[in-house]
């Protein structure tokens, strides 16, 4: 035990939560006994659904996940009158993970024909009050190995809708009528038209910051049918009429030696050196200077923040007047023409003028591999932040998020934590002792990182991007001296390492 506790007054008889220092009345113990009975009943239900450490461990090894990913723009231009300004780029839906194939095989094995297990979807805008908003039905196409995608090309927001923000709603179901769930995009800002004024930090939500995701598209003579999106296929940059990619746009420190680059924070301004990196493949273009475009001229002396839906051009940094350009479906370099009358301008062609817009990604990952799920998987619980309180044997983890319910339990890898439901936005759990991860823990001298999962009582697993790390104290020199001097005394060695882990430092990580 921790020697720091040796001189403290004795604790009351141990109860399920006495290590938190709670004092219990008789009524409280009676209430807890009822909850314990409910907990036993819930656990037996979980075991009937195959929810054991072994099944969760198997899930972590195989990861038969189902992922729904919605890619969309941060802003949408409002339509006026009979004119429909379709969202550009159009929202894309990607389904990935081996779990989708497993689910369809289960439906197929239940006797459904091919038409019964086909995956379909509807997408529309979230409704306001009793208003009815038209939804767009679509089917999914095969993409790469185990991925499918679909595109909602005909979505728009009319001028009758007075909202300044809205979300997209995706409803997924199988053709036999079985519902998968309802998924929401991130919040989208409504604008009337691209701002022509010089942006300031008062309109920071319209400015584009370093490291944020953007999409670039080119539209010849304002014709919708001619729209081409910058994308990546086979490791090469292309101009695609079918799909668009999200790129991380980074500010580059121009003082770095040639061949190297260091990223900077801040808002993107015209005249800055930037780097475009594909968020999926990691493929990047050479360092470029972003320029403002005005009437097909590149403005060389403009220094102001880049705003949503602005026309811009990308001049290759190591060249005098070469620009990123599309030619049919290929990405090439175009040599601009200097303007003889005005030295601060260069004439571009149509393929060198790009429209820039910020993008967002809403991602949902779950798994039905632990048993047949009868209910919808939504509302989908999402973890936003973690807060650790205490340490050692009394460490408590508070999880902030949304759509939590009493039927959820927090798991540290394959270890279930004692979970307490506070409300729909907060769960609290006791951090499991390091010893629960196996008998080998006593000999470990390095950090142990485990993923954090939310698992519903029926075995539905909600994956998260958060992990938890147990870290031994770095001041372990005394323990090393014990190891060298008293190697034959195994009990002393185990006690010293146990003390080290009961004084464990914990770290919380969100994996990008």
């Amino acid at each position: 035990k921790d020697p720091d506790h040796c001189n403290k007054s004795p604790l009351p008889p141990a109860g399920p939560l006495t290590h938190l220092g709670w004092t219990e009345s008789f009524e409280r113990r009676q209430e807890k006994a009822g909850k314990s009975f409910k907990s036993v009943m819930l656990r037996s239900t979980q075991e009937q659904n195959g929810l054991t450490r072994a099944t969760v461990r198997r899930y972590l090894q195989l990861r038969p996940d189902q992922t729904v990913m919605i890619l969309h723009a941060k802003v949408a231009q409002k339509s006026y009158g009979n004119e429909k300004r379709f969202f550009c780029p159009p929202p894309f839906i990607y389904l990935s993970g081996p779990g989708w194939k497993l689910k369809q095989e289960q439906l197929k094995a239940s006797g459904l024909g091919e038409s019964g297990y086909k995956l379909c979807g509807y997408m529309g805008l979230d409704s306001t009050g009793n208003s009815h908003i038209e939804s767009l039905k679509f089917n999914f196409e095969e993409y790469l190995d185990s991925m499918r995608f679909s595109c909602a090309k005909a979505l728009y927001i009319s001028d009758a809708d007075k909202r300044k923000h809205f979300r997209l709603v995706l409803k997924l179901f199988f053709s036999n009528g079985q519902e998968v769930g309802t998924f929401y995009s991130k919040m989208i800002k409504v604008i009337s038209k691209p701002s022509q004024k010089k942006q300031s930090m008062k309109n920071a939500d319209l400015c584009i910051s370093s490291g944020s995701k953007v999409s670039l598209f080119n539209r010849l003579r304002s014709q919708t049918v001619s729209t081409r999106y910058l994308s990546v296929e086979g490791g090469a940059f292309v101009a695609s009429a079918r799909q668009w990619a999200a790129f991380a746009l980074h500010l580059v420190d121009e003082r770095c030696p040639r061949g190297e680059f260091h990223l900077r924070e801040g808002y993107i301004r015209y005249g800055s050196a930037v780097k475009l990196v594909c968020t999926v493949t990691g493929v990047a273009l050479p360092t470029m200077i972003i320029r403002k475009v005005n009437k097909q001229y590149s403005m060389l002396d403009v220094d102001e923040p880049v705003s949503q839906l602005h026309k811009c051009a990308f001049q290759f940094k190591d060249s005098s007047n070469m620009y990123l350009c599309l030619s049919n479906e290929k990405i090439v370099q175009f040599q601009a023409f200097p303007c003889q009358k005005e030295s601060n301008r260069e004439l571009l062609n149509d393929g060198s003028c790009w429209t820039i817009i910020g993008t967002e990604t809403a991602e949902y990952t779950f798994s039905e591999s632990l048993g047949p799920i009868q209910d919808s998987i939504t509302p989908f619980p999402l973890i936003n932040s973690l807060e650790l309180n205490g340490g050692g044997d009394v460490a408590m983890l508070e999880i902030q998020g949304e759509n939590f319910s009493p039927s959820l339990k927090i798991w540290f890898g394959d270890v279930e934590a004692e979970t307490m439901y506070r409300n729909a936005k907060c769960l609290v759990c006791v951090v499991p002792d390091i010893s629960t991860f196996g008998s080998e823990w006593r000999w470990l001298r390095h950090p142990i990182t485990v993923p954090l999962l939310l698992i519903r009582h029926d075995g539905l697993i909600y994956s998260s991007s958060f992990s938890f790390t147990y870290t031994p104290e770095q001041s372990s020199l005394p323990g090393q001296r014990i190891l060298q001097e008293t190697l034959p005394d195994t009990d002393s060695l185990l006690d010293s390492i146990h003390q080290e882990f009961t004084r464990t430092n914990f770290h919380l990580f969100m994996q990008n």
Side-chain angles (χ1 to χ4, degrees):
K1 296 183 180 180
D2 194 333
D4 294 337
H5 292 169
C6 292
N7 296 324
K8 294 186 178 179
S9 58
L11 296 174
L17 289 176
T18 51
H19 60 287
L20 299 181
W22 291 2
T23 57
E24 299 180 285
S25 62
F26 174 78
E27 292 79 5
R28 174 65 179 168
R29 288 197 297 271
Q30 289 292 94
E31 180 185 353
K32 187 178 294 183
K35 289 184 177 179
S36 298
F37 175 75
K38 292 179 182 178
S39 176
V40 170
M41 294 298 294
L42 181 59
R43 183 174 295 277
S44 64
T45 304
Q46 292 173 342
E47 291 174 353
Q48 289 175 7
N49 287 308
L51 185 56
T52 64
R53 284 195 68 177
T55 55
V56 175
R57 189 180 299 122
R58 187 161 60 250
Y59 159 77
L60 292 171
Q61 291 171 349
L62 302 176
R63 286 287 186 175
D65 285 329
Q66 297 161 257
T67 297
V68 178
M69 188 164 59
I70 306 173
L71 275 69
H72 61 91
K74 278 188 174 182
V75 300
Q77 201 169 350
K78 184 180 289 189
S79 302
Y80 288 95
N82 295 325
E83 179 190 12
K84 296 180 180 179
R85 294 180 177 175
F86 298 132
F87 299 155
C88 190
F92 260 80
I93 304 95
Y94 288 93
L95 305 180
S96 61
W100 291 109
K101 188 174 182 180
L102 292 175
K103 179 65 176 179
Q104 286 189 315
E105 289 176 353
Q106 290 176 2
L107 293 174
K108 188 176 181 180
S110 65
L112 292 174
E114 183 176 349
S115 60
Y117 58 83
K118 187 177 181 182
L119 196 60
C120 308
Y122 279 97
M123 177 170 271
L125 280 61
D126 56 339
S127 59
T128 55
N130 297 322
S131 63
H132 174 72
I133 297 180
E134 183 179 356
S135 297
L136 183 68
K137 184 179 179 180
F138 51 80
N139 296 315
F140 289 92
E141 304 177 37
E142 295 292 333
Y143 178 66
L144 299 178
D145 295 333
S146 59
M147 185 179 289
R148 301 172 213 177
F149 84 96
S150 190
C151 178
K153 292 184 177 180
L155 286 178
Y156 65 95
I157 182 168
S158 70
D159 55 350
D161 195 328
K162 303 304 181 183
R163 288 180 291 175
K164 295 183 178 180
H165 295 86
F166 68 91
R167 291 188 299 174
L168 300 172
V169 183
L170 170 66
K171 295 181 182 293
L172 291 180
F173 57 92
F174 289 98
S175 47
N176 68 336
Q178 181 177 343
E179 181 184 0
V180 177
T182 302
F183 306 88
Y184 291 87
S185 72
K186 300 288 180 65
M187 201 64 73
I188 300 173
K189 181 180 176 64
V190 181
I191 61 175
S192 58
K193 60 181 179 179
S195 175
Q196 300 301 320
K197 298 180 181 179
K198 181 178 179 179
Q199 294 299 313
S200 66
M201 294 306 102
K202 293 181 180 179
N203 296 322
D205 54 344
L206 291 179
C207 297
I208 297 175
S209 59
S210 178
S212 62
K213 299 174 186 177
V214 299
S215 172
L216 296 172
F217 62 90
N218 179 286
R219 183 174 289 167
L220 300 178
R221 294 176 294 278
S222 299
Q223 295 179 359
T224 304
V225 294
S226 68
T227 304
R228 296 290 185 272
Y229 304 95
L230 186 65
S231 187
V232 175
E233 293 180 7
F237 283 83
V238 297
S240 174
R242 189 165 175 247
Q243 288 181 287
W244 58 273
F247 296 91
L249 183 62
H250 297 282
L251 278 174
V252 175
D253 191 344
E254 298 184 66
R255 297 169 295 181
C256 294
R258 187 171 181 177
E260 299 180 13
F261 69 93
H262 298 292
L263 306 181
R264 296 192 293 122
E265 295 182 352
Y267 287 97
I268 306 292
R269 303 180 70 91
Y270 291 113
S272 302
V274 296
K275 196 86 171 175
L276 274 172
V277 183
C278 177
T279 56
V280 175
T281 64
V283 178
L285 283 166
T287 301
M288 299 177 291
I289 307 297
I290 186 169
R291 303 291 189 189
K292 186 172 183 178
V293 171
N294 184 18
K295 297 180 180 178
Q296 212 164 320
Y297 282 96
S298 172
M299 313 298 291
L300 304 181
D301 59 350
V302 173
D303 174 20
E304 61 184 57
V306 180
S307 185
Q308 303 287 348
L309 289 174
H310 268 194
K311 290 286 184 67
C312 61
F314 293 89
Q315 178 186 359
F316 289 97
K317 186 174 182 295
D318 295 330
S319 65
S320 56
N321 54 358
M322 303 298 291
Y323 286 81
L324 183 73
C325 178
L326 66 83
S327 176
N328 296 321
E329 294 186 353
K330 295 182 179 180
I331 296 297
V332 298
Q333 295 187 40
F334 172 77
Q335 186 170 9
F337 299 97
C339 184
Q340 296 180 353
K341 295 182 179 180
E342 299 179 74
S343 59
N344 63 339
R345 295 187 176 198
E346 290 181 336
L347 180 62
L348 304 171
N349 67 347
D350 289 337
S352 302
C353 301
W354 300 89
T355 301
I356 188 169
I357 188 170
T359 65
E360 289 278 18
T361 302
E363 188 170 327
Y364 303 87
T365 300
F366 59 97
S367 177
E368 302 180 52
S369 61
L370 298 190
I373 306 300
Q374 301 300 326
D375 299 330
S376 169
I377 68 165
T378 55
F380 202 99
L382 295 172
I383 300 176
N384 296 329
S385 63
L386 308 175
E387 183 178 344
L388 185 68
N389 299 308
D393 297 333
V394 291
M396 301 288 292
L397 185 63
E398 184 175 306
I399 297 183
Q400 299 289 340
E402 52 191 281
N403 299 325
F404 294 152
S405 71
S407 63
L408 290 173
K409 294 290 184 181
I410 302 168
W411 285 64
F412 288 64
D414 63 352
V415 176
E416 180 183 349
E418 185 179 353
T419 306
M420 289 145 277
Y421 172 79
R422 184 170 290 173
N423 53 54
K425 294 185 177 182
C426 181
L427 293 174
V428 179
C429 72
V430 180
V431 176
D433 189 85
I434 187 73
S435 62
T436 58
F437 293 95
S439 59
E440 302 295 328
W441 70 275
R442 291 179 180 270
W443 302 98
L444 294 176
R445 309 288 293 181
H446 55 80
I448 302 174
T449 299
V450 293
L452 287 181
L453 306 173
L454 292 174
I455 303 185
R456 205 166 66 182
H457 66 86
D458 57 359
L460 180 63
I461 300 176
Y462 298 100
S463 182
S464 81
S465 57
F466 289 83
S467 63
F468 189 90
T469 298
Y470 293 83
T471 306
E473 284 190 345
Q474 298 302 316
S475 56
S476 56
L477 291 177
Q480 294 174 356
R481 188 167 57 252
I482 292 175
L483 179 63
Q484 295 170 358
E485 297 176 358
T486 63
L487 188 58
D489 190 350
T490 307
D491 291 338
S492 299
L493 172 63
L494 294 180
D495 287 343
S496 66
I497 299 178
H498 176 66
Q499 289 177 18
E500 180 177 320
F501 270 105
T502 55
R503 296 192 302 270
T504 296
N505 297 323
F506 301 108
H507 294 280
L508 313 176
F509 291 100
M510 185 174 74
Q511 301 165 342
N512 292 323

